[in-house]
Amino acid sequence: MRNDQTFRQELNQALDYADILDRIAGYASFSGSAARIREAMPVTDRIFVREQLDLAQEARTFTQNGQSASLAGITDIRSVLQMAQKGQVLTTQELLEVYLFLRAVDGLSRAFDAGLYPKLSELADSLVADSRLESAIQDAVGMDGTLKPDASPALVRLNRELTQSRASLAARGREFVKMNSPALMEHMTTSIGGRLCVLVKAQDKYRFGGMIHGSSQSGQAFYVEPAAFVEANSHVQSLQAEIEEEKHRICRDLTKRVGNAAFSLESDFETVTEIDTALAKGRWVLDVDGVIPSLQERDGSLRLVHAVHPLLDREKAVANDYRLKPRQQVLMISGPNMGGKTVTLKTVGICVVLAQAGFPVPAHEALLPWYESMWFDIGDNQSISENLSTFSSHMTRISGLVSSAGRGTFALLDEVGNGTDPLEGASLAVAVLEDLMDKGATVLTSTHYSQVKSWGKAADGVLVSSMEFDAETLQPTYRYVEDVSGASYAFDIAARCGLPTSVIDRARERKEQEASQVQRELENLERLQETVRHKEERFRSLIDDAHRLQKEADQEKEKARKDRQRIREEYAANLDSMLDEKREEAERIIQDLKGKEKLHELVADRTKLNSLGQDEEADGAEPETSASTKPHVFHVGDYVRLTGLNTHGEIVDIRRKEATVLANGIRTRVKLSKLEPMARPVIRKPERTHRVDAVASRFPSELNIIGMRVEEGLDALDHYLDQAVVHHATVVRIIHGMGTGRLRSAVWKDLSKRSTIKSYEAAGPSDGGLGATIVTLR
């Protein structure tokens, strides 16, 4: 892999590589890791790249789980360590930077669970937390970057003596002013050069002895240090000098300790930088909804799902899927200008480069090959100083590519052969692509040339695709359409831009005259492919509508079932309540009967007892059975109809004139007079009209939707459960991951609405725990 400055410039110009790394570096906590991100380059060291991607994966999970590692306040301390090793005394601010770094190391060493984040934990375990040096600096230096007054016992003593001396000197000054106020210009003391003075009238400047430190601007007064102040002033300054010397000694001692620990601190700095770089990648990949790529060495197959260029606004950008099958070496993209061809090339190219630099990629799924070398030719690189035209500039780079290409080469070429005669340019483009294919290189290219598209359609190993263009609005949709070559729409766009119809018609005639039979057939094929694709999209839309209607029908069915269940429960509750009231009234009457002795009272209560239950027969009741007609004798096990309730069931118990009937799973006590015998209905099992073939045995028992958005995950779940019903699956597993919990909640909500689901629950510890759901189908 090239790793020179020219290759770096090529990456920056062709893929905006530096701008993308700047964005990722913005997620770093300090300048050291930000610089490492900005300096990253694609490499061929497989072990290094895999380690970087594994760390980024753990960092993504760490961040997704809501955890964080505090690195706030730390800086790049390497220059400070070098100064300490050379014996240069560090300032208190520099010592504070070392302390903040040591504190971050101490916290980082305990931040990662070895079971969940083994690689990050392994790095953190290698950190050497120097708690003694950390405590020593903390005891001496405050968080404001100044030395603490109690940094040492000597400093405490000196500060106390200084405070006392200043207080004594101030008292002496107040006394002097009070006694000599007529000779003073101001009745207060002042400080000149750190020594206490008074402002004396000019004629009295020698009156008090001592030293004269200067005069006022008018010359009418002088700043005098009286002889009475000299000794005390000198003592104060002596104490101040001793304090500064003690501070210097403290900083010198701490600097020596930092210098002795410099090797360990430099090692810790590298480790902290490595961890913070991984955490920055993890935060970035979550923000761009990206993925950690998988790199394979089997063949040249490539797959990117829902990929978006990282510099585009993800809310507005159109995501696309790109792939190359194992035997396909060239992905050729056609379509009109400004349709998104170059952005497509850059999107695939930056995913390849980021992956081999150890970074996540902006896609939902990424499977990429290893490449030993990379070449990029995008944009116009005219050079006035080197007298190179656009065509010459392209050919210079392509000649370098062709000379060094081989198996494991990745080339991204925009408009090969552009900038010269179209026929010669197209012929040259085909020759270059054929040569690169013969050498085993993988090539992504774009073209306008019909001859190149015709060759690509006929050549093995070439996938000709296009960027969709709306023929009605003449606007690009930026959607990538696989295996469909796109037209240029040059005449339509020219007409839209106001070119006269006569000119466009003349151009069409000339095109028809000069176009070869192959070109005409190619254009006809492009139109046919476009028609078929629109029909496929319409068909897919109809299937989606059918799924939606089926789900709505299932929801309505479930609602009706719940309504029926509610009505049954309300009916049973009302019936039980009514029967309980009648039983209570009967008990009261029976208790009254036991206490009555008079015949007429007994007859009245017996009449009340016989009348119980007749009130509900008053409306719509059938006439009583005549004496000549014998009532039907019911037995346990008879199948009966409950008159007035429009239901039927089996008698399970008979007591006196009441029977307990099991109807629709509900036990109901009713009077025998309310029952009619009926024949037990025969329930026929429906015949199975479908067949089960060998496909059922191959139906997957689990669905993995980790990394999908909620809408995509539910679409995949809907399709999978439909297939599960068709294949008579009984138990399946849905793998959705833990993450933020949104996808899991959406899956459970969807399952709760399905009539085909018997039950669902979180998987056991060995089956994925909260990251998976076990579903049992009816």
Side-chain angles (χ1 to χ4, degrees):
M1 186 76 68
R2 295 179 295 156
N3 196 19
D4 53 15
Q5 188 63 29
T6 302
F7 183 46
R8 179 71 186 219
Q9 292 175 354
E10 190 174 302
L11 287 174
N12 294 343
Q13 179 183 349
L15 302 177
D16 305 307
Y17 185 59
D19 294 337
I20 294 168
L21 292 186
D22 275 341
R23 290 203 177 185
I24 302 175
Y27 290 82
S29 298
F30 74 110
S31 60
S33 50
R36 176 167 296 188
I37 291 171
R38 292 188 178 97
E39 294 167 359
M41 288 289 287
V43 297
T44 55
D45 185 342
R46 291 166 171 78
I47 296 176
F48 171 78
V49 173
R50 291 189 188 280
E51 287 179 350
Q52 292 295 304
L53 294 177
D54 289 343
L55 284 171
Q57 177 63 58
E58 288 188 10
R60 171 186 175 149
T61 305
F62 181 78
T63 305
Q64 197 170 28
N65 289 342
Q67 297 177 273
S68 62
S70 177
L71 295 173
I74 69 172
T75 57
D76 188 343
I77 63 169
R78 288 176 293 183
S79 60
V80 174
L81 297 179
Q82 291 174 359
M83 291 169 58
Q85 287 178 303
K86 293 176 181 179
Q88 299 179 28
V89 179
L90 301 179
T91 66
T92 52
Q93 186 64 45
E94 291 165 343
L95 289 169
L96 178 62
E97 292 178 9
V98 176
Y99 164 72
L100 292 175
F101 178 79
L102 287 168
R103 188 174 67 173
V105 166
D106 183 52
L108 202 59
S109 63
R110 304 186 301 272
F112 304 104
D113 185 325
L116 296 175
Y117 319 106
K119 292 189 177 296
L120 287 172
S121 179
E122 183 180 357
L123 280 175
D125 288 343
S126 68
L127 294 170
V128 180
D130 194 336
S131 57
R132 291 185 177 181
L133 178 57
E134 180 184 349
S135 298
I137 298 177
Q138 184 182 22
D139 292 342
V141 181
M143 293 303 293
D144 59 352
T146 60
L147 205 66
K148 293 181 178 179
D150 57 350
S152 71
L155 190 60
V156 172
R157 176 183 57 79
L158 291 170
N159 279 324
R160 183 170 61 248
E161 290 182 13
L162 179 62
T163 301
Q164 293 172 352
S165 298
R166 282 176 171 171
S168 175
L169 180 59
R172 183 176 299 183
R174 289 193 296 272
E175 184 66 24
F176 181 88
V177 169
K178 183 177 179 181
M179 293 177 61
N180 301 284
S181 57
L184 303 179
M185 292 292 291
E186 294 180 351
H187 296 168
M188 59 186 299
T189 59
T190 186
S191 179
I192 302 296
R195 302 179 73 88
L196 191 68
C197 300
V198 291
L199 189 60
V200 180
K201 294 177 181 178
Q203 62 269 25
D204 295 322
K205 62 181 177 180
Y206 299 117
R207 177 179 173 182
F208 306 108
M211 295 181 289
I212 298 175
H213 290 280
S215 63
S216 64
Q217 291 182 350
S218 63
Q220 297 180 359
F222 287 82
Y223 292 100
V224 177
E225 179 184 352
F229 293 1
V230 172
E231 183 179 355
N233 273 329
S234 298
H235 184 61
V236 168
Q237 289 192 329
S238 175
L239 288 173
Q240 289 176 333
E242 290 183 49
I243 288 174
E244 291 303 317
E245 179 60 31
E246 177 62 15
K247 288 181 178 180
H248 185 75
R249 184 195 66 77
I250 293 171
C251 290
R252 184 174 62 249
D253 290 347
L254 290 175
T255 298
K256 185 176 180 180
R257 297 182 64 172
V258 171
N260 292 336
F263 180 79
S264 175
L265 289 173
E266 287 178 352
S267 177
D268 284 349
F269 177 83
E270 291 299 319
T271 303
V272 170
T273 301
E274 186 79 10
I275 293 174
D276 190 50
T277 298
L279 292 175
K281 294 176 183 178
R283 289 188 284 266
W284 177 74
V285 71
L286 284 176
D287 274 2
V288 300
D289 197 18
V291 71
I292 307 300
S294 298
L295 298 172
Q296 54 90 11
E297 305 174 50
R298 300 184 308 274
D299 49 47
S301 60
L302 175 152
R303 183 171 70 253
L304 291 170
V305 177
H306 203 83
V308 177
H309 195 282
L311 295 182
L312 296 178
D313 184 352
R314 294 192 68 84
E315 298 297 325
K316 300 178 181 179
V318 178
N320 287 295
D321 300 345
Y322 310 101
R323 66 172 179 170
L324 278 176
K325 296 179 181 178
R327 295 187 178 181
Q328 292 176 328
Q329 292 179 252
V330 176
L331 173 58
M332 183 183 297
I333 304 174
S334 61
N337 288 325
M338 304 300 291
K341 299 190 300 299
T342 301
V343 172
T344 294
L345 295 180
K346 287 188 174 186
T347 300
V348 178
I350 197 60
C351 287
V352 169
V353 171
L354 287 175
Q356 272 191 239
F359 285 83
V361 299
H364 287 178
E365 182 181 343
L367 176 65
L368 301 168
W370 281 102
Y371 295 112
E372 297 297 326
S373 63
M374 298 179 183
W375 295 80
F376 303 93
D377 181 32
I378 298 180
D380 185 356
N381 288 305
Q382 293 190 66
S383 174
I384 297 175
S385 60
E386 298 182 14
N387 195 27
L388 292 177
S389 66
T390 300
F391 179 74
S392 299
S393 175
H394 286 306
M395 285 301 105
T396 299
R397 277 181 291 179
I398 289 176
S399 64
L401 163 62
V402 171
S403 299
S404 60
R407 192 169 302 277
T409 296
F410 176 81
L412 198 156
L413 309 175
D414 190 17
E415 301 287 353
V416 185
N418 191 30
T420 186
D421 176 78
L423 181 57
E424 292 183 354
S427 301
L428 190 58
V430 171
V432 168
L433 294 175
E434 286 180 335
D435 184 78
L436 293 175
M437 290 178 66
D438 291 340
K439 292 178 178 178
T442 298
V443 183
L444 271 67
T445 185
S446 62
T447 187
H448 279 299
Y449 296 141
S450 299
Q451 299 93 322
V452 179
K453 288 190 287 183
S454 300
W455 167 81
K457 279 292 185 180
D460 292 333
V462 179
L463 174 63
V464 179
S465 302
S466 62
M467 300 305 296
E468 187 181 56
F469 194 80
D470 192 328
E472 295 182 0
T473 63
L474 295 180
Q475 294 294 325
T477 65
Y478 303 108
R479 290 177 52 196
Y480 171 79
V481 184
E482 184 178 293
D483 205 20
V484 174
S485 59
S488 65
Y489 293 95
F491 295 151
D492 298 314
I493 295 174
R496 187 71 171 268
C497 293
L499 196 65
T501 304
S502 59
V503 176
I504 294 174
D505 291 342
R506 183 178 299 175
R508 291 186 190 276
E509 291 176 2
R510 292 191 63 83
K511 179 184 176 182
E512 288 294 328
Q513 293 172 2
E514 298 177 3
S516 66
Q517 183 63 28
V518 174
Q519 290 175 325
R520 295 191 185 95
E521 292 178 357
L522 178 61
E523 291 181 357
N524 291 333
L525 179 59
E526 289 173 350
R527 286 192 291 267
L528 181 60
Q529 286 177 323
E530 187 71 11
T531 301
V532 171
R533 188 176 62 81
H534 283 303
K535 289 183 178 180
E536 287 179 349
E537 291 180 352
R538 176 60 179 164
F539 180 68
R540 192 178 302 113
S541 176
L542 291 174
I543 291 177
D544 292 341
D545 289 342
H547 279 298
R548 178 179 54 79
L549 292 174
Q550 180 63 42
K551 290 180 70 173
E552 292 176 356
D554 289 342
Q555 291 172 356
E556 291 295 329
K557 184 178 179 180
E558 179 64 16
K559 181 180 178 181
R561 186 190 66 78
K562 290 181 178 179
D563 288 342
R564 288 197 301 271
Q565 181 67 21
R566 178 180 53 80
I567 292 172
R568 288 173 182 171
E569 292 174 353
E570 291 177 355
Y571 170 74
N574 292 335
L575 188 58
D576 289 343
S577 176
M578 181 184 69
L579 290 175
D580 288 342
E581 291 177 0
K582 297 301 181 181
R583 290 192 189 98
E584 291 175 1
E585 187 175 352
E587 289 294 332
R588 287 196 302 270
I589 294 173
I590 291 172
Q591 293 299 323
D592 290 343
L593 285 172
K594 291 179 180 180
K596 301 293 178 65
E597 296 180 355
K598 295 182 180 181
L599 180 60
H600 69 278
E601 293 177 345
L602 292 174
V603 171
D605 287 341
R606 182 56 183 264
T607 303
K608 291 180 181 180
L609 186 61
N610 291 336
S611 67
L612 287 177
Q614 293 179 359
D615 51 343
E616 62 266 25
E617 299 177 5
D619 297 332
E622 295 180 359
E624 294 183 0
T625 306
S626 63
S628 60
T629 305
K630 292 184 178 181
H632 182 81
V633 179
F634 294 98
H635 301 89
V636 173
D638 289 353
Y639 205 87
V640 295
R641 177 183 290 106
L642 283 69
T643 59
L645 295 181
N646 192 27
T647 187
H648 48 80
E650 181 181 350
I651 297 176
V652 296
D653 186 30
I654 297 178
R655 294 185 181 181
R656 296 183 181 179
K657 295 184 178 182
E658 289 185 341
T660 301
V661 179
L662 180 62
N664 295 324
I666 301 174
R667 293 176 179 265
T668 307
R669 290 191 62 81
V670 295
K671 290 182 177 297
L672 293 174
S673 60
K674 292 294 184 179
L675 302 179
E676 293 179 0
M678 67 172 290
R680 187 182 300 272
V682 178
I683 301 175
R684 296 181 179 179
K685 294 184 178 180
E687 296 182 359
R688 295 175 62 179
T689 59
H690 57 276
R691 63 182 182 88
V692 179
D693 53 21
V695 177
S697 63
R698 298 196 299 270
F699 180 76
S701 62
E702 64 182 27
L703 170 68
N704 190 337
I705 58 175
I706 292 178
M708 294 185 183
R709 293 185 177 178
V710 171
E711 296 81 5
E712 294 173 338
L714 292 182
D715 287 342
L717 176 65
D718 183 43
H719 178 73
Y720 176 80
L721 292 178
D722 287 348
Q723 293 298 314
V725 172
V726 172
H727 291 88
H728 309 293
T730 56
V731 178
V732 297
R733 182 168 71 142
I734 310 301
I735 304 173
H736 42 65
M738 290 182 284
T740 61
R742 289 182 57 203
L743 188 55
R744 175 176 178 269
S745 298
V747 168
W748 280 39
K749 184 176 180 181
D750 185 86
L751 293 175
S752 67
K753 299 177 182 179
R754 292 180 176 271
S755 59
T756 57
I757 303 304
K758 182 178 181 181
S759 65
Y760 57 92
E761 60 185 354
S766 61
D767 291 328
L770 295 177
T773 297
I774 304 299
V775 180
T776 304
L777 291 93
R778 297 186 185 278

